[in-house]
Amino acid sequence: MGEGREGRGAKGRILHITLYSSLITAVLSTACGIDQGEPTFVDKPRILAMKAEPPEIQREGESRLSALVALPDDFDPSAPPPLLLWGLCELTGTVTGQSCADPESAKVLGAGGPEESIPIADPTPPPPILSGDGEKNHQGISAPPEFSMQPLPVPVPFLIGLFAKAGDREMKAFKRFIVSGSTNPNRNPVITDVMIDGAPLADLSALEPEREYTLEVQVPEDAAQSYADLSPTGGGREKTEDLFIAWFSTAEGLEKDRSFGVPYENKWRAPRKPPESGKVRFWVVLHDSREGVDWKSFDLTFAE
């Protein structure tokens, strides 16, 4: 007798879980650092950024993960939407060479499309529950009556791995995620607006071929956050984040790929021949120096 629909469905779910676990283990096993991206021109599917909201949580906190996946002008509109698979492991190493402490213990966080966000709860092991009266609790741990639980002394870093597939192209990217006891955890910076030649984007009626434009990303004055550096070399010193903008577009012509310091500007020369779509898509990504990120996308259109 053949299997019922429920039996086949259960086997399918187990197969997917096994496949996802193997894939995430493979992705995180090859992680040698944080992905720094590619040049500004988007001529193939690309992962441009990964975001955790918030980027740093306290014990028992929660966050949500999302990704900015850019598609080129000639991407097949009949192709399935990109598939994203998320995983996580505890991080070891330095900023220039990071990897999983144990790739085999990598955890699958979830899968979905680029418009979905994936929840992530505090991945650190739960602290022992102690009675405080000298008797063993259910974990077999005892403590003197004066015992009290302490917050995490230093941030605990984790590595988030992302595998994405868009059409025939497979991609991967990595990001640090922090669990800490800080009372001033990192927050994501915010892009408030994008201007073109000193005016709002909506004021531009149409692009002119071969004309040079000035693009500016605007952020709040307090976007750079002050914090105590609790890293092994930081010694708790007060520091202020550095911010920069990364620029991407479906057309060439951007003067630079990064903008540092106010004003966050870039020059762009429109192509002589407009693309078949009649428009150019831009993505601007705001980074701070502690894994905080925000992004914005917009289209600029040529006259018909």
Side-chain angles (χ1 to χ4, degrees), residues 3-18:
E3 289 183 299
R5 182 179 300 176
E6 290 185 4
R8 292 195 300 272
K11 281 193 172 182
R13 286 192 295 273
I14 293 173
L15 178 62
H16 275 89
I17 292 171
T18 303

Side-chain angles (χ1 to χ4, degrees), residues 31-33 89-103 157-159 176:
C32 58
C89 68
E90 190 167 354
L91 181 63
T92 185
T94 64
V95 173
T96 57
Q98 302 183 83
S99 61
C100 288
D102 178 13
F158 289 84
L159 186 67
R176 285 179 298 163

Side-chain angles (χ1 to χ4, degrees), residues 6-292:
E6 290 185 4
R8 292 195 300 272
K11 281 193 172 182
R13 286 192 295 273
I14 293 173
L15 178 62
H16 275 89
I17 292 171
T18 303
L19 175 62
Y20 286 170
S21 297
S22 299
L23 188 56
I24 280 298
T25 298
V27 167
L28 290 170
S29 294
T30 60
C32 58
I34 302 300
D35 181 29
Q36 296 297 328
E38 300 178 59
T40 60
F41 181 37
V42 176
D43 60 348
K44 57 183 176 293
R46 299 260 303 278
I47 300 172
L48 302 186
M50 302 161 64
K51 178 193 286 187
E53 182 58 64
E56 179 179 338
I57 63 173
Q58 296 177 317
R59 291 298 298 261
E60 301 182 356
E62 292 185 348
S63 184
R64 297 195 72 88
L65 303 173
S66 57
L68 177 59
V69 180
L71 301 177
D73 269 346
D74 60 356
F75 187 76
D76 184 359
S78 65
L83 171 67
L84 277 60
L85 175 63
W86 299 85
L88 173 141
C89 68
E90 190 167 354
L91 181 63
T92 185
T94 64
V95 173
T96 57
Q98 302 183 83
S99 61
C100 288
D102 178 13
E104 294 301 323
S105 66
K107 175 184 178 182
V108 176
L109 297 174
E115 302 302 321
E116 301 177 59
S117 62
I118 301 297
I120 174 175
D122 174 12
T124 58
I129 301 173
L130 304 175
S131 62
D133 56 5
E135 296 181 1
K136 291 185 177 181
N137 64 2
H138 69 281
Q139 293 176 303
I141 302 173
S142 62
E146 66 273 12
F147 178 87
S148 62
M149 291 299 296
Q150 298 296 322
L152 291 175
V154 295
V156 179
F158 289 84
L159 186 67
I160 295 172
L162 173 61
F163 170 85
K165 183 176 177 62
D168 295 330
R169 179 167 165 78
E170 296 182 351
M171 303 158 280
K172 62 182 179 180
F174 310 99
K175 179 182 181 66
R176 285 179 298 163
F177 179 71
I178 300 296
V179 179
S180 76
S182 173
T183 56
N184 181 33
N186 190 24
R187 63 175 184 269
N188 285 312
V190 177
I191 294 174
T192 55
D193 206 353
V194 180
M195 310 289 282
I196 184 165
D197 287 343
L201 293 173
D203 290 358
L204 179 68
S205 56
L207 290 171
E208 299 176 20
E210 296 189 284
R211 177 181 165 183
E212 184 178 81
Y213 295 89
T214 299
L215 300 169
E216 180 188 351
V217 177
Q218 297 187 334
V219 303
E221 291 184 1
D222 62 350
Q225 190 176 354
S226 296
Y227 65 100
D229 186 354
L230 299 178
S231 67
T233 59
R237 291 187 297 270
E238 190 76 8
K239 299 181 69 173
T240 301
E241 294 171 332
D242 296 316
L243 305 180
F244 72 89
I245 298 290
W247 301 82
F248 305 93
S249 172
T250 54
E252 297 180 282
L254 282 165
E255 183 178 72
K256 54 190 176 182
D257 59 358
R258 301 286 189 271
S259 295
F260 299 88
V262 178
Y264 298 100
E265 290 183 344
N266 204 352
K267 302 286 187 182
W268 176 70
R269 184 171 295 278
R272 180 178 60 84
K273 181 181 179 181
E276 291 185 8
S277 64
K279 64 182 180 181
V280 177
R281 168 149 288 200
F282 290 83
W283 297 266
V284 291
V285 183
L286 171 62
H287 294 267
D288 67 25
S289 50
R290 296 192 295 155
E291 300 296 327

